[in-house]
Amino acid sequence: MKVYNSREELKVDVDFIKSIVLDDDLCSHLVSQLFDQWMYTSPDSPYNDINDEDIECARNLVKFSKDGISNEWKGEHTVFEDVSSKKNIRSSHYNLRSL
């Protein structure tokens, strides 16, 4: 994985990839990978300014129990059930469309 130091380095690499790769899908995939590397490694990336304090703060903001209930929510909790595993969904009370 390449570590970028500036957006200009990314631009040079993207221009190079676009000049040698003829397949549009492959070119798009490679450019996307280069952008992701720039996004997480370059000092001039707006996505690369997250520090350990921000991560710890986000982890402590809301905690969820194994039942999916948070410690901060004061309203009603909605529990969603997976109905895709039902064998006969048409007869299930989850199907709200008319038969």
Side-chain angles (χ1 to χ4, degrees):
M1 179 171 143
K2 180 174 181 175
V3 176
Y4 283 98
N5 294 313
S6 71
R7 187 175 302 172
E8 292 303 315
E9 288 181 8
L10 172 65
K11 183 172 177 7
V12 169
D13 288 349
V14 167
D15 291 342
F16 176 73
I17 292 295
K18 287 182 174 182
S19 71
I20 64 169
V21 178
L22 299 177
D23 184 340
D24 289 338
D25 290 335
L26 178 61
C27 182
S28 177
H29 176 72
L30 294 173
V31 168
S32 177
Q33 285 185 334
L34 291 177
F35 178 80
D36 286 345
Q37 291 172 0
W38 167 81
M39 184 171 67
Y40 293 116
T41 63
S42 180
D44 66 347
S45 167
Y47 305 98
N48 193 22
D49 63 352
I50 298 173
N51 57 36
D52 291 337
E53 184 179 327
D54 293 337
I55 293 171
E56 188 62 30
C57 180
R59 285 187 181 145
N60 291 329
L61 281 177
V62 178
K63 299 262 188 200
F64 289 94
S65 70
K66 290 183 181 182
D67 297 326
I69 298 172
S70 73
N71 63 342
E72 298 291 322
W73 183 252
K74 303 294 185 213
E76 179 179 325
H77 292 282
T78 303
V79 177
F80 295 95
E81 295 189 26
D82 183 11
V83 297
S84 63
S85 62
K86 303 271 187 191
K87 290 185 179 180
N88 189 1
I89 293 177
R90 291 182 66 109
S91 66
S92 170
H93 65 278
Y94 295 106
N95 189 355
L96 302 177
R97 295 175 292 198
S98 62
L99 299 174

